[in-house]
Amino acid sequence: MSHTPEWKCLPFPALSVDELHAILRLRVDVFVVEQQCPYPEIDGQDPSAIHLFARGPDGLLLCYARLLPPSADGHPHIGRVVVQPDHRREQLGRAVMIEAIARCRALFGPVPVALSAQAHLHDFYASLGFRRTSEAYMWDGIPHIDMLLP
């Protein structure tokens, strides 16, 4: 990637129809089609989430993460982290996670941040400071682990 991503971080009502379409399309293309995991991608949590994303100069949605406000455990959660398949070798996964962590801190204060990671991505999230807090479990047919950033 030859440019710095320009981030947008918006609550659900502020998303344009075009932005929402691009987000849902990328999530379905990767999590449902590519990963061959038929599950309810539209899970009812988007309206209460903050949506973080970056587009390329051509308008293509490059990467995305969903930030959920603190839940019963008291932690905000980062989820639905996804990078456009043709741009996966450009460090966008790391970039979107660094931005997501910063936005969680700005929005929710200095509290631990949680995520449910696909188990094979443990080392990636650990490199960002997340620590494993659960054994592996199946979620929609894919092994996951819970992780927390202190």
Side-chain angles (χ1 to χ4, degrees):
M1 188 172 65
S2 59
H3 73 286
T4 302
E6 287 189 36
W7 298 104
K8 279 193 166 185
C9 191
L10 300 171
F12 187 77
L15 292 170
S16 72
V17 173
D18 177 61
E19 289 165 337
L20 179 59
H21 178 268
I23 288 165
L24 293 176
R25 180 168 183 172
L26 178 60
R27 287 176 15 188
V28 168
D29 284 352
V30 172
F31 298 133
V32 178
V33 177
E34 179 183 325
Q35 295 182 355
Q36 299 178 4
C37 182
Y39 76 105
E41 171 54 36
I42 300 173
D43 62 1
Q45 295 191 71
D46 288 318
S48 63
I50 305 296
H51 302 270
L52 174 68
F53 58 96
R55 289 184 178 244
D58 58 358
L60 179 71
L61 183 67
L62 297 173
C63 55
Y64 169 85
R66 181 169 77 176
L67 314 180
L68 295 170
S71 62
D73 63 11
H75 309 308
H77 287 248
I78 298 172
R80 299 298 201 267
V81 178
V82 63
V83 173
Q84 187 68 241
D86 293 342
H87 293 271
R88 288 192 180 142
R89 301 268 183 248
E90 300 171 16
Q91 300 294 312
L92 287 168
R94 181 165 298 282
V96 73
M97 280 303 300
I98 289 168
E99 190 69 21
I101 292 164
R103 298 293 179 131
C104 279
R105 300 281 196 235
L107 291 165
F108 309 117
V111 296
V113 177
L115 57 79
S116 296
Q118 291 186 8
H120 74 276
L121 294 172
H122 170 271
D123 292 348
F124 168 71
Y125 290 115
S127 76
L128 293 162
F130 284 85
R131 296 186 186 137
R132 182 179 182 150
T133 59
S134 78
E135 294 301 314
Y137 56 92
M138 295 302 281
W139 189 10
D140 293 320
I142 296 173
H144 281 72
I145 54 173
D146 292 335
M147 300 188 80
L148 194 66
L149 178 67

